[in-house]
Amino acid sequence: MENKKEVGMTLIVKAITRLTVGLILLYGIYIVLHGHLSPGGGFAGGVIIALSFIHLMLAFGRETALKKLSEAQASVLESLGAIMFLTITLLGFLGGYFFLNFFFHKGNPFALFSAGIIPLCNIAICLKVGAGLFVIFVVLISFKGLEKEK
Amino acid sequence: MILPFFVIIPLGAAFLISFFGKRIKNFADLLANLGTLSLLVFSLYSISLVATHKILVYKVGGWVPPMGICMVLDGLASFMLVMVNLVSFLVALYSISYMQRYTDKPKFYTLFMLMLAGMNGIIVSGDLFNLFVFLEIASIASYALVAFGTEAEELEASFKYAVMGSVASSFILLGIALLYGYTSTLNMADISLVLFSKPSSMIVKFIGVLFLAGFGLKAALVPFHAWLPDAHPSAPASISAMLSGVLIKVLGVYAIIRIFFNLIGINKVTLSILMFLGAVSMLVGVILALSQWDFKRLLAYHSISQIGYVILGIGLGTPLGILGGLFHLFNHSIFKSLLFLNSGAVVYSLGTRDLRKMGGLQEKMPVTSNTNLVASMSIAGIPPFNGFFSKFIIIVACIQAEHFGYAFCAVIGSILTLASFMKVQKYAFFGKLNQKWQNIKEVPWTMWLSMIVLAIICVVGGLLIIPLFRPFLQSAVNVLLLGTGYKEAVFAALR
């Protein structure tokens, strides 16, 4: 930390992070995609995905994480998630009702590709929650930075 | 069929604005105004729907209540929808010019539309937990909007509001959880059905107290009013108009009357508590308002006082009292939002809210001055403006129900209101023009247009009680008079 060129935490943390961050991201995606089969879903998975980026930010510093996913991109993803969710629910009007699960063939129990619109809704929620949480974290970090400059 | 659109339109507009608002110029203004205009048209159409069908129930996702979630449109919901969407359309129109002074208009409109989605959701929801979710959407958007100026004073007010609002929300959530534990259902009509079949117990009374404290805090009734005088003046004027005009009514008064009249069932004790809280709010609000020199803070205290009138009227429990209370609810939303828009116009031109620094603005800002005169007359209850009729009905209802003390309080409150608005008129608009303000101009046309429309509604609003327009008000009153008959009406509409 004394050396100004070196951002982020120590070598040990960085090495471990390199190993784990991909796994955390994958685990988040797993939770989202299996939301309709096992405990979890869009919200929990979105939080885990956001945590993988936050993990990166804690270990390597703000710049590295923002290179992967900038604030503007995250904000776009967040709005996109919300619009996607609303579009899916609006498509329910095809069957006559708002929020209708409009796939006629809803698949088999315990199969990944089943349950109609629920996995799609989970993905939309994951975008909204993940991007939202990430942006909140970035904003909190930047406010702290501003105070230090003063 | 139109019911879900009251939630879909503002939600969709909010997210589209946040997505495209910064990329396309004027997109946010256009979409917000079109959205609120279409909501106004839908809500006016809902009046005719209610006139023919009495009650409409929409099954969300095709799931049948009590398992599924439902939306209910009855006389009271339609009445509230018209009020909310009328005010929000005019406020959105006003914001086009007014919000130029602030940065980041798209964010403002996003939050504004989210708040509107929350309020419309509360009104149409037929499910108690959905009501709570929409309540949180509306209140969290309003916390952010109060802090929109991001000055120290605004952030402090917003923080105070957020803390007290969260306490209120926890009370409400605890109440809903206990009610769910007791009745094993969340559908409002079904809760009422289960409560009716069980013997009366202490837990229902306890839940009633929790709801009264929670929603009372949202409505800013007197023991719970401390957040309002800070939060309302700090917000941008268009948001103060929304907060004071409709938010405290939908989140507070509407939820209280819907739950106590239609769900739990009203009794003598609850009614007398409501009446007492109403009378105390009425007097304390107006007495605190008298000594204010900050234009918007004065208006904020008057909101507390006027909500007191509404609760007193409804708390009487007689048909005439409820009519007066609901009529005053509508009238107050019109003239109080007009007053806040006027104060915004003054701040827009002068940059100060202190009444002592104003003076003689009448010659420079004729529209603002005259509309403010109309609104002041309305709130003070001078005939022939709308405020006179509703206050008169409330006072007559008090006398009919032989509550002479409350009638006397209402008269005293009205006189003190007149006194404090005479002060506003004298210091701000009449008298000699301050040398400092030689170069000010009238506000841009979108601002004065919405102020004039509201002033016209203030003048003609009294016509709502003549037989031609009366069904609009009467159908809302009938829902409350129906009481716990609400459940039979909902289940009959489902069949």
Side-chain angles (χ1 to χ4, degrees):
Chain A
M1 291 299 257
E2 307 273 310
N3 191 351
K4 276 198 175 170
K5 273 181 189 172
E6 193 180 326
V7 285
M9 294 191 184
T10 59
L11 187 66
I12 302 170
V13 178
K14 280 182 179 169
I16 298 289
T17 303
R18 268 193 212 104
L19 286 175
T20 52
V21 77
L23 290 176
I24 296 174
L25 185 66
L26 270 181
Y27 182 64
I29 293 170
Y30 166 81
I31 292 278
V32 173
L33 291 184
H34 285 71
H36 54 296
L37 302 176
S38 55
F43 196 99
V47 170
I48 296 171
I49 289 176
L51 283 182
S52 75
F53 283 97
I54 290 169
H55 190 32
L56 206 64
M57 189 181 283
L58 289 177
F60 290 96
R62 207 152 64 94
E63 301 308 317
T64 322
L66 284 182
K67 235 179 259 167
K68 301 262 185 224
L69 181 68
S70 75
E71 241 176 297
Q73 281 168 339
S75 153
V76 166
L77 280 181
E78 195 197 352
S79 305
L80 203 67
I83 293 172
M84 193 173 143
F85 191 90
L86 200 66
T87 319
I88 293 168
T89 52
L90 272 178
L91 282 176
F93 275 115
L94 288 177
Y97 280 106
F98 179 55
F99 241 110
L100 186 72
N101 196 341
F102 55 85
F103 282 126
F104 294 109
H105 179 68
K106 293 198 175 67
N108 307 316
F110 308 111
L112 185 58
F113 296 102
S114 61
I117 61 167
I118 296 173
L120 298 176
C121 285
N122 271 338
I123 293 172
I125 294 168
C126 151
L127 282 179
K128 174 88 190 155
V129 172
L133 200 65
F134 180 72
V135 169
I136 289 171
F137 191 79
V138 170
V139 167
L140 288 179
I141 291 249
S142 350
F143 265 109
K144 202 181 168 198
L146 281 179
E147 266 171 24
K148 264 186 188 169
E149 276 166 28
K150 277 176 190 170
Chain B
M1 192 60 192
I2 62 160
L3 261 175
F5 284 99
F6 285 113
V7 183
I8 294 171
I9 293 172
L11 264 187
F15 295 129
L16 285 175
I17 288 169
S18 81
F19 195 69
F20 293 113
K22 278 195 185 140
R23 294 179 178 76
I24 307 167
K25 211 185 155 206
N26 291 339
F27 179 80
D29 283 331
L30 193 69
L31 194 66
N33 278 287
L34 280 179
T36 44
L37 180 63
S38 59
L39 283 171
L40 177 61
V41 172
F42 274 134
S43 54
L44 289 175
Y45 174 61
S46 79
I47 299 177
S48 76
L49 277 181
V50 168
T52 49
H53 293 90
K54 288 276 186 226
I55 185 163
L56 279 173
V57 181
Y58 186 87
K59 303 185 278 289
V60 177
W63 298 91
V64 183
M67 297 304 145
I69 293 165
C70 68
M71 291 178 169
V72 181
L73 179 75
D74 54 12
L76 183 61
S78 157
F79 172 77
M80 298 296 287
L81 282 172
V82 170
M83 188 188 88
V84 169
N85 293 310
L86 179 68
V87 172
S88 65
F89 169 62
L90 292 168
V91 166
L93 189 67
Y94 179 92
S95 305
I96 296 176
S97 308
Y98 179 77
M99 290 309 291
Q100 303 284 19
R101 293 285 167 92
Y102 291 80
T103 54
D104 213 348
K105 235 171 162 186
K107 268 206 186 93
F108 167 78
Y109 277 121
T110 304
L111 289 167
F112 179 83
M113 294 309 267
L114 276 176
M115 188 165 90
L116 189 57
M119 284 192 286
N120 280 341
I122 291 172
I123 295 168
V124 296
S125 173
D127 184 279
L128 200 54
F129 194 74
N130 258 37
L131 188 141
F132 176 74
V133 171
F134 284 121
L135 181 124
E136 279 295 274
I137 293 177
S139 15
I140 289 175
S142 69
Y143 305 151
L145 281 168
V146 166
F148 203 76
T150 61
E151 298 291 323
E153 180 203 3
E154 282 132 10
L155 292 173
E156 188 200 332
S158 170
F159 186 70
K160 192 171 175 184
Y161 179 26
V163 170
M164 296 192 73
S166 309
V167 172
S169 297
S170 347
F171 275 139
I172 296 165
L173 186 61
L174 183 60
I176 292 174
L178 289 175
L179 202 55
Y180 183 47
Y182 187 63
T183 62
S184 331
T185 176
L186 282 170
N187 185 285
M188 276 158 53
D190 204 35
I191 287 177
S192 177
L193 197 68
V194 175
L195 283 181
F196 194 68
S197 66
K198 288 193 176 188
S200 72
S201 98
M202 275 308 276
I203 188 100
V204 180
K205 288 184 187 124
F206 182 58
I207 291 164
V209 172
L210 285 175
F211 280 149
L212 196 63
F215 291 120
L217 212 149
K218 299 272 182 198
L221 288 173
V222 147
F224 318 111
H225 69 286
W227 59 274
L228 188 141
D230 286 332
H232 286 202
S234 311
S238 43
I239 291 309
S240 318
M242 282 299 278
L243 289 179
S244 210
V246 290
L247 190 97
I248 53 173
K249 301 197 181 68
V250 175
L251 264 59
V253 178
Y254 171 79
I256 286 179
I257 59 181
R258 178 66 94 191
I259 285 177
F260 280 103
F261 277 79
N262 291 149
L263 236 73
I264 297 179
I266 203 82
N267 54 32
K268 266 263 157 59
V269 181
T270 326
L271 281 178
S272 47
I273 291 172
L274 283 180
M275 270 193 293
F276 180 72
L277 287 179
V280 171
S281 314
M282 205 159 70
L283 288 180
V284 171
V286 77
I287 288 168
L288 288 172
L290 271 177
S291 58
Q292 297 300 321
W293 285 104
D294 183 331
F295 193 175
K296 287 175 84 176
R297 206 175 168 83
L298 185 143
L299 296 180
Y301 276 114
H302 274 293
S303 290
I304 300 172
S305 152
Q306 301 297 317
I307 285 293
Y309 275 97
V310 174
I311 292 290
L312 172 64
I314 293 171
L316 284 170
T318 57
L320 194 66
I322 294 174
L323 178 84
L326 287 180
F327 190 28
H328 199 66
L329 189 80
F330 182 82
N331 291 340
H332 178 247
S333 77
I334 301 294
F335 56 63
K336 187 45 70 66
S337 44
L338 175 54
L339 282 167
F340 267 114
L341 294 187
N342 285 326
S343 76
V346 171
V347 175
Y348 183 88
S349 296
L350 268 60
T352 177
R353 301 204 305 242
D354 195 335
L355 285 171
R356 281 169 292 198
K357 290 181 187 156
M358 300 172 191
L361 297 177
Q362 197 174 28
E363 42 182 305
K364 293 286 180 187
M365 304 172 77
V367 177
T368 311
S369 164
N370 289 328
T371 51
N372 196 64
L373 185 63
V374 170
S376 306
M377 292 292 167
S378 291
I379 195 171
I382 307 287
F385 298 103
N386 57 5
F388 164 72
F389 293 100
S390 47
K391 279 191 182 176
F392 185 64
I393 293 174
I394 291 173
I395 293 168
V396 169
C398 279
I399 293 170
Q400 268 191 359
E402 299 190 336
H403 289 295
F404 299 109
Y406 289 139
F408 184 68
C409 289
V411 174
I412 293 287
S414 195
I415 292 168
L416 292 177
T417 311
L418 181 63
S420 76
F421 277 95
M422 274 162 69
K423 173 175 130 182
V424 170
Q425 283 294 332
K426 179 179 178 297
Y427 278 92
F429 296 104
F430 298 155
K432 241 177 69 191
L433 186 67
N434 196 327
Q435 285 301 316
K436 228 161 75 184
W437 314 121
Q438 282 302 340
N439 300 320
I440 59 164
K441 283 197 229 67
E442 183 58 273
V443 290
W445 69 272
T446 56
M447 286 168 74
W448 61 251
L449 180 67
S450 59
M451 293 190 310
I452 286 179
V453 173
L454 280 169
I456 290 170
I457 300 173
C458 271
V459 179
V460 300
L463 292 179
L464 275 178
I465 47 164
I466 66 167
L468 182 61
F469 298 110
R470 188 139 171 196
F472 171 59
L473 205 57
Q474 195 62 46
S475 63
V477 175
N478 287 341
V479 171
L480 293 186
L481 289 179
L482 192 64
T484 44
Y486 171 78
K487 55 181 185 286
E488 281 94 16
V490 170
F491 283 119
L494 276 172
R495 265 180 229 117

